[in-house]
Amino acid sequence: MHGHDHKPRTPETERSRRWFMNKSLLVGGVAAVATMTGCSASDSDSAGASTTSSASGPPNGMPSGAPSGAPSRGPGGAPGGGGMGPGASEVKYDDFTGLTTDGKTVDDLYSIHSTDVSTDALVKAAQTFLDNLSTKQRKATLFDIQADEWLAWSNVDGYEREGVRMGDLTTKQRNLGYALLGAALSADGLTQTRNIMKLNAYLGDYSGGNQETLTEGHYFFTLMGTPSTTKPWGFQYEGHHVAINYFVLGDQVVMTPTFMGSEPTSATYKGEKIALFKKETKAGLTLLRSLSDSQQTKVISSTVEKSGTDMKAGAGSDNLELAYEGLPGSELTDAQRDKLLDLVRVYVGYMDAGHAEVRMKEVEEHLDDTYFYWLGETKDSSAFYYRVHSPVVLIEYDAQSPLAFGNKGSGGGMGGPNGTPTQQHIHTIIRTPNGNDYGVDLLKLHLENDH
């Protein structure tokens, strides 16, 4: 692995991952949630997960799973939607094109340059984290900078992951992992990530406990390349409802794809009241309600109804072709354009403040060609979907049908595209279209010109 000792994935491992994805689908695309459970009753998780049994929730072993339905196949056999995970048609790094409108990337959108935002503290945090791992743990964690592992993430709880698991680390090691996240993310970003982990554990308790995957500890670190202030490197932090891909080149950062979701989105866990995605929900509604009736007619789809799952660019959709829909920024007033930027800033703002401002300037340069699109109702409590899409950013917000929480009356567990969506199950994602997810375009430029 080009200087790393990491053991490459075996065909048996690949089959087990793909078996899981295939086993998780039923005819019609409804999630077979019962196949997506963790089976271990033991969890050395001092991150705070409880395995207390509860008879009040869905049947034991019924996780959220959080799939976005069966991933449909786009051009060339690449997954074209859904968001279950890589599956059998997982895109390999060498075959990565990225999200486009027509299969062809727009050239000259990204360049290697100085941002004047230091990454020194981030590099130090990553190296300290690595230095405190055992030799075996380091081997499990380290991958080549162009490893397929970048693209092999999933938001599903029972997905088989590589790297080191937070619940298996010592308290010191885990705190150094959180320090790495803290250096990469804003305070809001770290809080959001931790709260998603806590509500994952809440769901585990709600579902009867004794599930390794539905805990605070079932989240994994992998590092690509070697932490450096000059050479390309990055990390991936991944588990149920969280996937953060963080690429670093000098003082440039790309934090996409980043998936964040939760089921439920609000609950009290260990005495702490947690409410997620309030800002994402409010910012979308604020922009929509600022539009005139004629503008809303262009934004809100009249031909497609909101379903139980509408996310297009989730896991396994790295080469997705997605046309622009809705209203472009060129048809917005200055005040409306500000609200559009405010909406984007909610998502971009989960990365560290300095690089978030760099990213926002990039988005603003393409504001005329930034489209806003909406599915569903428009009340405060409505379960809706919206999308922000430009040459340099794609954001999706999708209120989905419940898979394990809040549907006890129907036996619990089954949702997917045929269920009724609710704000208690939300998926979001942000991507960098036209080839720069995972920092791929920047890395190509680096290897072509500087390596």
Side-chain angles (χ1 to χ4, degrees), residues 299-423:
V299 169
I300 302 173
S301 175
S302 60
T303 58
V304 181
E305 292 186 3
K306 177 76 183 83
S307 73
T309 172
D310 292 288
M311 179 172 279
K312 301 295 184 185
S317 302
D318 285 306
N319 286 353
L320 175 69
E321 294 179 22
L322 185 65
Y324 293 129
E325 293 184 90
L327 185 73
S330 59
E331 296 183 26
L332 299 177
T333 66
D334 287 345
Q336 291 167 341
R337 287 161 70 95
D338 286 343
K339 288 180 174 60
L340 175 56
L341 287 171
D342 287 343
L343 172 55
V344 175
R345 192 172 284 110
V346 171
Y347 294 83
V348 172
Y350 289 133
M351 68 194 304
D352 69 278
H355 289 105
E357 285 307 308
V358 172
R359 178 73 159 133
M360 287 305 301
K361 290 177 183 176
E362 183 180 69
V363 171
E364 196 165 2
E365 289 174 2
H366 298 272
L367 203 58
D368 281 352
D369 300 317
T370 302
Y371 287 76
F372 184 51
Y373 175 70
W374 190 282
L375 292 177
E377 302 298 324
T378 61
K379 297 177 182 177
D380 286 357
S381 60
S382 298
F384 49 77
Y385 165 96
Y386 66 72
R387 181 162 75 233
V388 176
H389 189 185
S390 86
V392 296
V393 70
L394 174 87
I395 290 167
E396 289 187 282
Y397 167 107
D398 190 21
Q400 302 199 338
S401 57
L403 294 177
F405 181 80
N407 53 356
K408 298 179 189 176
S410 59
M414 296 306 289
N418 299 325
T420 301
T422 167
Q423 282 191 20

Side-chain angles (χ1 to χ4, degrees), residues 20 41 46 82 137 212 245 263 289 291 296 317 360 406 451:
F20 163 74
S46 54
Q137 288 170 326
E212 183 184 51
N245 291 284
E263 183 190 23
R289 290 169 180 172
L291 304 178
Q296 286 194 13
S317 302
M360 287 305 301
H451 193 54

Side-chain angles (χ1 to χ4, degrees), residues 121-122 125 177-197 221 235-237 242-248 253-260 347-356 430:
L122 175 65
Y178 285 135
L180 169 54
L181 286 177
L185 307 177
S186 65
D188 283 349
L190 182 59
T191 298
Q192 175 101 333
T193 302
R194 290 291 289 113
N195 282 343
I196 290 170
M197 295 166 64
F221 267 112
F235 73 87
Q236 186 178 76
Y237 186 73
V242 174
I244 298 169
N245 291 284
Y246 207 100
F247 173 85
V248 185
V253 163
V254 178
M255 194 176 117
T256 62
T258 288
F259 178 104
M260 292 184 173
Y347 294 83
V348 172
Y350 289 133
M351 68 194 304
D352 69 278
H355 289 105
I430 179 169

Side-chain angles (χ1 to χ4, degrees), residues 137-208:
Q137 288 170 326
R138 283 173 64 94
K139 286 182 178 180
T141 304
L142 288 171
F143 287 80
D144 183 74
I145 189 62
Q146 294 173 285
D148 293 337
E149 186 61 28
W150 273 121
L151 285 71
W153 60 270
S154 173
N155 52 281
V156 177
D157 65 317
Y159 189 64
E160 183 181 336
R161 295 178 166 90
E162 302 288 341
V164 287
R165 178 180 176 275
M166 290 292 269
D168 295 335
L169 300 180
T170 66
T171 299
K172 179 181 179 181
Q173 290 172 326
R174 186 162 47 251
N175 286 339
L176 291 173
Y178 285 135
L180 169 54
L181 286 177
L185 307 177
S186 65
D188 283 349
L190 182 59
T191 298
Q192 175 101 333
T193 302
R194 290 291 289 113
N195 282 343
I196 290 170
M197 295 166 64
K198 290 174 183 178
L199 289 189
N200 184 51
Y202 172 91
L203 186 65
D205 294 345
Y206 176 90
S207 301

Side-chain angles (χ1 to χ4, degrees), residues 2 173 224 434:
H2 304 287
Q173 290 172 326
M224 287 63 165
N434 291 298

